Amino acid sequence: MKKILFTFLSFIIALSTVNAQKGINYFRKAGVGGKMLMSVDSSAKNLFCWNIFSNQPHTSFNFLPDVHNASVEIYFRKVDSPQHYRYTILENNKPLVVNKPIDLAQLKDANAGDEEVFRAATFGIVPIKDKIITIITYDIQKPQDVYKTVFYGKPIPRAKIQGFSKRFKTDLGVDYSWISHPKDRTKLTFTEKDDELTIIKDKSDVDYLYYISIKENKTGEIIFESTAWQYGGISEEHQFLPYVAFDKSIFKKSGDYEIIIQPRIKWEGCRDCDLSVKDREKYITRHTLSITLNEESYTKKELLIYTFAVALSIGLIFLIILYFNKKRNKRKLAEKEQQKNIAKLELNSIRSQLNPHFLFNALSGIQNLMNKNEIDNANKYLSKFARLTRNVLDDKELISLSQEKTLLDDYLQMEQLRFGFKYEIDHSEDLDLDIIEIPSMLLQPFVENAVKHGIAKKATDGKVTITMMKQANDLVLTVTDNGNGFDTKKKYMGLGLALSDGRIALLNSIYRKNRFTLAIESTTIGTNISLTLTDWL
């Protein structure tokens, strides 16, 4: 009988706790970032709100391990224009709402406590427990500023160290020695040839959340700290893993050092906290490095040889500098150098005009899709446009053929959403796209012209073909479309092609040994543009 009574009382207590959790306390609000406030379950604890990160300036992270449901509101100042805002809601990275406008009829006046009257709209009650809810907002007048607010209702995954890589010098350059899937303690010996250590972490959806620090165990001093995870070169299951690389010079002496990888959460700034230090340890990764610095000693004979070699090198460098200073003082060389610098400035000027020209056309494409109410395509277009913008605005003069191909691929996929045409990008098998470099955005204006003025009206019947071929030592790039063609002798008002002509002329003045030759053939059944880079390979 006692056992039955105890079970019944436990059931009543559990039911009361669940009911308390379900009720939202609208009198207690917490800022969560992105113009938003939330109200949570009446008995919810451990609200770690509004965590922001230097490497993700528009992301707000809210760790809510004990919250079942939250009511989320977005607030607008008088100067804001709610009608221009759009929002997307994801649950575990799957869309629930996509690019939806604010319901203006739902707006109501709200006081934030600082005597300023706001207008507020609610996203409704959102389930948080065991989920990752992401709300993305942006103003269509400032599409580049996309704000992401994350409500994390799961335990934060503990980071795992996948390996270490020690770099050392060789006769041919550098090489690496690897330690994969290390245990809790790793022994490392650094010789004079070793110069760098890389720590590789497992991949997660919230890499921006973690930071790494290295502490000297004997003194307790933090000798290294970073949030700058890099990606590329190190992969597992076809995904690039995050890593941090640093110079071995941070280790001043032999001994034990502790690697600490933990989420950058404001543990002390939470509301209704009862998470102990022991509880927080569940989210922290610790690993011990036992470092031995093996400093080489030199004999007097070796020191004399090295000193003589350094003195000889300094003398040779001084003679070389003196020689080039004499050459530089000659008027003819100075004039050539000046002309080259002027050409480079003019080339940069043309690039600075090409970039906004391209960006304006791309933004017009987004506006066109939105005017036709093709919101899904506009959203896809905007996602492609974001990555493309980073590449276009990159200030590199030369980029690899692989990067140029990726840029063109992104652009053509964007325009496919509007016009529905087909395209191909082909290259010779004997071309190494990752090594060969060309001036950035060399082909893009011609491809844009083929789309806008060649096959845009053909819809699915249109086709653009781009080829990259090796002919002896020449690199030949072609852009072909099956549009209606144009009169090649007639001058047109289009800015892209005119700037490209001027750019090719300037490239010829800089790369005198490598002629850039442009040939255009156009008929009523299509246009072929061929650009030859002489002796480029």
Side-chain angles (χ1 to χ4, degrees), residues 459-477:
T460 55
D461 292 329
K463 184 173 182 181
V464 175
T465 302
I466 301 169
T467 60
M468 304 172 182
M469 296 180 296
K470 178 181 179 181
Q471 293 183 356
N473 293 329
D474 299 344
L475 176 63
V476 181
L477 309 172

Side-chain angles (χ1 to χ4, degrees), residues 295-402:
E295 300 293 342
E296 293 186 19
S297 57
Y298 300 98
T299 64
K300 289 183 178 180
K301 183 178 179 181
E302 289 173 328
L303 287 173
L304 285 172
I305 292 172
Y306 291 145
T307 302
F308 177 77
V310 170
L312 183 61
S313 298
I314 292 173
L316 287 173
I317 291 171
F318 177 78
L319 290 174
I320 291 170
I321 292 173
L322 188 63
Y323 172 77
F324 279 105
N325 277 338
K326 277 188 174 183
K327 294 278 287 182
R328 196 178 293 113
N329 288 334
K330 293 181 180 180
R331 185 171 181 177
K332 187 175 181 180
L333 183 62
E335 288 176 354
K336 286 183 179 180
E337 191 70 24
Q338 186 178 15
Q339 289 173 0
K340 188 174 181 180
N341 289 335
I342 291 172
K344 284 186 176 181
L345 288 172
E346 290 175 350
L347 191 60
N348 288 334
S349 174
I350 286 179
R351 285 188 66 218
S352 69
Q353 294 176 67
L354 271 172
N355 288 349
H357 166 73
F358 161 72
L359 295 176
F360 175 79
N361 286 341
L363 287 172
S364 296
I366 297 172
Q367 184 182 37
N368 180 264
L369 287 171
M370 295 187 71
N371 288 340
K372 291 192 292 186
N373 205 30
E374 296 183 20
I375 301 302
D376 287 343
N377 280 343
N379 209 26
K380 292 176 183 176
Y381 196 105
L382 186 61
S383 299
K384 293 284 182 187
F385 175 65
R387 187 170 82 161
L388 196 57
T389 301
R390 288 193 292 271
N391 290 329
V392 169
L393 295 181
D394 196 342
D395 199 30
K396 290 182 180 177
E397 176 55 30
L398 294 176
I399 62 173
S400 69
L401 279 176
S402 176

